[in-house]
């Protein structure tokens, strides 16, 4: 037995897999290595994992029922961690079909396979994007998330609803994790901090949207991994205090929970760039840009539920996290 981890070649999946393997857990990784961003980076992550005893990789597509059935047939598994998805807010506005296939059809396949194989616990990635137009800060899992502003966010909201239905009807224990702006070594090239670093080192202007009036709850990858691992061993149970008259969106009468994993400290994007300038010892040339469709002004995570359940709250400060990222970036790209 072991853990089935989808999205093993992805940023978060790679780090979760490495952490679990080093703690003695057998990990079966599943990924399709698509070209949303550089597949060579995904292959490099897998090469790192392949050096560790206890990692096994299966290439396949979430939207392919046969592929999903095949990897589940290698079980049983102690738990399923589902991190594979089509990511990115802006791309979802121009290529929605990819998000339908991966995030909706693919997630449906995972849920059904978990039901058929009686998975003891499904932990899956949601996103802070589900909060959409919510303006009450910090963003809490007790808030309704009915007004997403991107199709990507809508698919993640749909995942939470789909997961709840399987939990309610079939008793499948499910835990959803809303990640807040994850950054760190081996990160995703489509993320803003990655693009900022590349632009500064290459002497290109840094595009700053909403003319710099943006705040993000930047969360270091090790803190994300710690939250995932701690919750993995905490199979949710029905909330005895849940009421249909006053429903709490974070819990249920079914074995269902949703948590935020964020740093609980929003940082203005221009201040983030200043920190990056200091670490890189180079000055950025800023190019103010209008607000982009699908984006929100601020994200700020209420992590009280995570702390109450696990005793843990993300705490890596920005200077430390960024320095580690830059060290990796320089080494990987030989800059």
């Amino acid at each position: 037995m072991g853990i089935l981890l989808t999205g093993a070649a992805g940023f978060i999946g790679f780090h979760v897999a490495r952490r679990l393997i080093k703690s003695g857990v057998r990990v079966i990784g599943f990924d399709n290595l698509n070209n949303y961003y550089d597949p060579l980076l995904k292959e490099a992550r897998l090469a790192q994992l392949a050096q560790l005893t206890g990692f096994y990789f299966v290439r396949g597509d979430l939207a392919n029922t046969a592929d999903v059935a095949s990897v589940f047939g290698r079980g049983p598994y102690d738990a399923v961690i589902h991190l594979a998805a089509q990511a990115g807010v802006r791309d979802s506005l121009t290529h929605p079909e990819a998000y339908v296939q991966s995030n909706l059809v693919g997630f449906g396949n995972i849920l059904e396979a978990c039901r058929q194989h009686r998975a003891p616990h499904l932990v899956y990635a949601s996103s802070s994007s589900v909060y959409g137009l919510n303006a009450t800060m910090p963003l809490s899992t007790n808030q309704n998330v009915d007004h997403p502003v991107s199709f990507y966010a809508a698919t993640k909201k749909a995942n939470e609803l789909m997961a709840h239905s399987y939990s309610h009807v079939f008793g499948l224990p499910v835990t959803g994790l809303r990640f807040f702006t994850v950054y760190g070594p081996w990160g995703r090239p489509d993320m803003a901090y990655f693009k900022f670093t590349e632009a500064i080192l290459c002497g290109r202007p840094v595009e700053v949207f909403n003319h710099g009036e943006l705040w993000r709850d930047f969360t270091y990858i090790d803190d994300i991994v710690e939250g995932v691992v701690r919750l993995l061993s905490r199979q949710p149970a029905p909330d005895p205090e849940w009421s249909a008259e006053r429903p709490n969106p974070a819990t249920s009468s079914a074995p269902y929970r949703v948590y935020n994993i964020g740093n609980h400290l929003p940082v203005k994007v221009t201040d983030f760039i200043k920190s990056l300038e200091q670490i890189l010892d180079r000055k950025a040339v800023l190019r103010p840009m209008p607000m982009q469709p699908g984006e929100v002004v601020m994200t700020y995570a209420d992590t009280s539920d995570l702390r109450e359940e696990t005793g843990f709250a993300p705490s890596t400060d920005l200077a430390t996290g960024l320095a580690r990222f830059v060290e990796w970036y320089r080494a990987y790209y030989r800059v």
Side-chain angles (χ1 to χ4, degrees), residues 224-302:
I224 292 289
V225 171
E226 184 66 27
V228 173
V229 171
R230 291 200 185 199
L231 288 169
L232 182 63
S233 61
R234 288 167 168 80
Q235 186 185 78
D239 180 358
E241 298 181 359
W242 193 86
S243 166
E245 288 74 28
R246 297 179 304 278
N248 177 0
T251 68
S252 175
S253 57
Y256 169 92
R257 284 299 303 266
V258 174
Y259 296 92
N260 288 335
I261 305 185
N263 209 37
H264 191 60
L265 183 66
V267 174
K268 194 173 185 180
V269 169
T270 49
D271 291 334
F272 181 92
I273 294 171
K274 289 177 183 177
S275 295
L276 197 52
E277 288 176 324
Q278 293 176 355
I279 295 167
L280 293 171
D281 194 26
R282 297 197 185 188
K283 192 69 176 174
V285 178
L286 303 185
R287 177 182 289 168
M289 303 286 287
M291 189 69 162
Q292 296 296 289
E295 297 287 355
V296 297
V297 173
M298 177 181 285
T299 62
Y300 175 13
D302 179 344

Side-chain angles (χ1 to χ4, degrees), residues 163-187:
H164 183 269
S165 70
Y166 265 72
S167 181
H168 177 76
V169 176
F170 303 114
L172 175 66
V174 293
T175 300
L177 307 178
R178 294 173 179 169
F179 298 140
F180 281 70
T181 315
V182 190
Y183 74 101
W186 294 97

Side-chain angles (χ1 to χ4, degrees), residues 6 24 61 83 103 128 134 156 200 223 249 258 263 295 314 319:
T6 72
D61 193 322
L83 302 179
N103 299 4
S128 62
N134 287 22
K156 287 300 184 178
I200 293 172
D223 287 332
V258 174
N263 209 37
E295 297 287 355

